[in-house]
Amino acid sequence: MFTRPTPTRTLALAASLAGITLLAGCSAAATPDASASTTPVADVTIVSGQSAQNGDLLRGIFDRYNASASTAKVTLNLTADSDVDTAQKALVDIAAGHGPDAVRVTNATYQTLIDAGVAQPADACLAAESGLNKDLISGITVNKHVYQVPWYVTPNALFYNAKLFTQAGLDPNTPPTTLAEFHAAAKAIAATGAAGGTAYFGNDFNFQSYLASLGSQVYAPASKKLTVNTPAAASVFDTFAAMAKDGSSPVYTNFFADANEAFASGKLGMIVTSASGYPALKANGNADIRIAPVPAADGGKAVATTSTNGFVITTKDPSRQKAVCTALRSLLTPEAVTETVTKTATIPLLTSTITDPKQLAPVYAANPGWAAVRDQKTVPWISLPGTANAEYSKLYTDTQLKVLRGDQDGKAAAKDLQTQTEQILAAR
C-alpha cells in the first residue's frame, strides 16, 4: 500500500528536488567521487521509510546478513515516513553532504531520485543476478540503465471479504472480473446495510491500471507525451463517480487511512490496492479476506499496475558502492525472495523460486489467489519527471475528489487534469 502524501509534504519534496537538481547539475547519474577513500568500509547506511509496510521483514533480512557478513555491515535507518517523505529527507541530507549510501524507493519516487542526479546506476551490481525476472527488471529500466536494486514488485489486486459476499448473495469463489461486475457487487453488498460496497482508487496507482486496461496511459516517458485527456480517463472517472453517487462506494478524504481501515475491520466489502497489503490485513484477524486479479475496465483487458520497492544507491564513493551492493544483494537470494513473497503476496523477482518445492511452490499451492494475482498482465506505475510528479500527485487526488463528490464530470476532470499537468511540466 502507498501512503498518500499531504499537500505540504508533496510541495516540500518538489522544492527539495528542485534544489538538489541544481546542485547535481541536472545530470542523470552523478560521476564517482574523485576523493573516494580506498580504506575498507566498516558499515553502510541504508534508509527505509514505510516501516509499517514490511519493515520487520527488511530488518530481519539485514540482521541475518550482518550476522554472516565478512564485509561492511548494514546500519538500517527504518522510519514510519512515507516513500515521498523518505525521498525528501534523503535529498536534503545529500545536499547537506551527509546523505545515506542507499535509500528505499517505490515507483512514486524512483524517477525523482534519478532526475535529481543522485541515483547511481546499479547495472554492475545486478550483472551477476542472472535469474532475475526480466519483465520486472525492464519495468525499472530508465534510459537503458537500472538505478535500483529491487526488493519486491507489488501489483495491485482486488481484495474482497468473502463473508460479506455471501451475505449479499454473491459467490465468493467468483469475484468480479470487470468494473461493471465490480459495481454490481458493490451495490449488492451496500444493500445489505452491513458494510459499504467498495472504495475509489486512492492515488493514481489504480487509475493507471484502468487506463492501461483500455490501452491508454497517463504519460509516455519515451516521447514525454502527456495523455490524460482521453475518453478512457473520463470513463474511469465516471464509473467511480457513479458508485459514489448511488452509495455503493463511500467517499473517504484519506483513502489510505480510512478506506483501508474500513476494509480491515469488515466495514467495506472490496478494495483495489497493493497486493503487499494482504498479510497485514490478514494479521488483523479477518479470516475472510481474499485477493484476486484487478477487474478490467469495461470494454478493456485486465491489467495490473506494478510498483517496485527497491533501493537506490546514492553514494558516489566506489568502495562504498561496492559494499552497499553486496549488502543489497542479500535481498535477492532464493531464501530472501521466498520469505519476502511469503510475507507480502508480491511477485517473485527470481522465477526459479515459483516451482521449487523448497521455496514458493507450497506457498502458491496453499494460496491459489496469490498465483492468479502473480500472473496478471502488468504495466509499471509511471511517474512524471522530477518535481512534476509530486505536484501531479496532489493535483490528481484533488481532481478525483471533485469527481467523486459530484462537482465535476469525468470528461471535464480529464481535460482539466491534462491542462494543469501540462502547466506543471512546462514550468520545470
Side-chain angles (χ1 to χ4, degrees), residues 244-285:
K245 186 175 181 179
D246 66 22
S248 58
S249 176
V251 177
Y252 301 100
T253 300
N254 188 329
F255 174 89
F256 296 101
D258 300 334
N260 279 285
E261 161 108 15
F263 181 77
S265 62
K267 297 176 182 177
L268 196 63
M270 300 180 291
I271 191 172
V272 176
T273 190
S274 167
S276 61
Y278 179 79
L281 289 169
K282 288 284 284 189
N284 286 335

Side-chain angles (χ1 to χ4, degrees), residues 392-409:
Y392 160 75
S393 296
K394 177 186 179 302
L395 180 60
Y396 170 80
T397 303
D398 292 344
T399 301
Q400 173 183 246
L401 286 173
K402 288 179 183 178
V403 173
L404 293 169
R405 291 168 176 164
D407 298 333
Q408 198 171 38
D409 65 19

Side-chain angles (χ1 to χ4, degrees), residues 19-95:
I20 199 165
T21 300
L22 291 175
L23 291 174
C26 300
S27 60
T31 56
D33 189 347
S35 63
S37 171
T38 57
T39 58
V41 177
D43 59 70
V44 294
T45 300
I46 297 176
V47 171
S48 174
Q50 306 183 101
S51 58
Q53 186 179 337
N54 309 311
D56 290 341
L57 169 62
L58 181 64
R59 187 176 293 285
I61 293 174
F62 282 140
D63 282 348
R64 287 190 293 277
Y65 170 78
N66 285 342
S68 62
S70 58
T71 55
K73 309 293 185 180
V74 171
T75 297
L76 177 64
N77 290 342
L78 186 62
T79 74
D81 291 336
S82 69
D83 54 340
V84 171
D85 285 342
T86 300
Q88 175 192 335
K89 292 178 181 180
L91 289 170
V92 171
D93 288 343
I94 290 168

Side-chain angles (χ1 to χ4, degrees), residues 146-406:
V146 176
Y147 289 89
Q148 68 166 287
V149 176
W151 176 27
Y152 62 81
V153 179
T154 179
N156 53 353
L158 168 65
F159 288 61
Y160 65 102
N161 186 311
K163 180 179 179 180
L164 291 176
F165 262 54
T166 300
Q167 289 180 4
L170 303 169
D171 183 356
N173 295 314
T174 56
T177 59
T178 67
L179 283 184
E181 294 175 358
F182 183 71
H183 189 179
K187 285 195 288 187
I189 294 168
T192 67
T198 186
Y200 59 98
F201 32 77
N203 59 12
D204 88 330
F205 180 61
N206 291 334
F207 183 59
Q208 290 195 24
S209 179
Y210 300 125
L211 294 188
S213 176
L214 294 169
S216 185
Q217 61 184 162
V218 167
Y219 180 76
S223 64
K224 298 182 179 179
K225 185 177 181 181
L226 186 71
T227 52
V228 179
N229 187 18
T230 61
S235 68
V236 173
F237 275 133
D238 283 337
T239 295
F240 280 84
M243 294 186 196
K245 186 175 181 179
D246 66 22
S248 58
S249 176
V251 177
Y252 301 100
T253 300
N254 188 329
F255 174 89
F256 296 101
D258 300 334
N260 279 285
E261 161 108 15
F263 181 77
S265 62
K267 297 176 182 177
L268 196 63
M270 300 180 291
I271 191 172
V272 176
T273 190
S274 167
S276 61
Y278 179 79
L281 289 169
K282 288 284 284 189
N284 286 335
N286 192 333
D288 297 308
I289 292 176
R290 301 186 189 181
I291 59 174
V294 179
D298 297 326
K301 299 178 180 179
V303 180
T305 311
T306 57
S307 178
T308 303
N309 258 268
F311 292 84
V312 164
I313 298 173
T314 54
T315 177
K316 294 191 239 178
D317 184 314
S319 297
R320 301 192 70 80
Q321 286 180 357
K322 183 176 180 180
V324 76
C325 167
T326 301
L328 290 174
R329 285 177 60 188
S330 67
L331 301 170
L332 297 174
T333 66
E335 294 73 23
V337 170
T338 295
E339 180 185 16
T340 297
V341 173
T342 300
K343 293 182 177 180
T344 63
T346 53
I347 301 176
L349 281 162
L350 296 177
T351 55
S352 61
T353 61
I354 294 174
T355 57
D356 190 328
K358 295 181 179 180
Q359 305 293 346
L360 288 172
V363 175
Y364 286 122
N367 299 280
W370 292 22
V373 169
R374 177 199 70 206
D375 293 336
Q376 296 175 101
K377 179 181 178 181
T378 63
V379 293
W381 187 17
I382 299 171
S383 62
L384 273 62
T387 57
N389 196 64
E391 295 175 78
Y392 160 75
S393 296
K394 177 186 179 302
L395 180 60
Y396 170 80
T397 303
D398 292 344
T399 301
Q400 173 183 246
L401 286 173
K402 288 179 183 178
V403 173
L404 293 169
R405 291 168 176 164

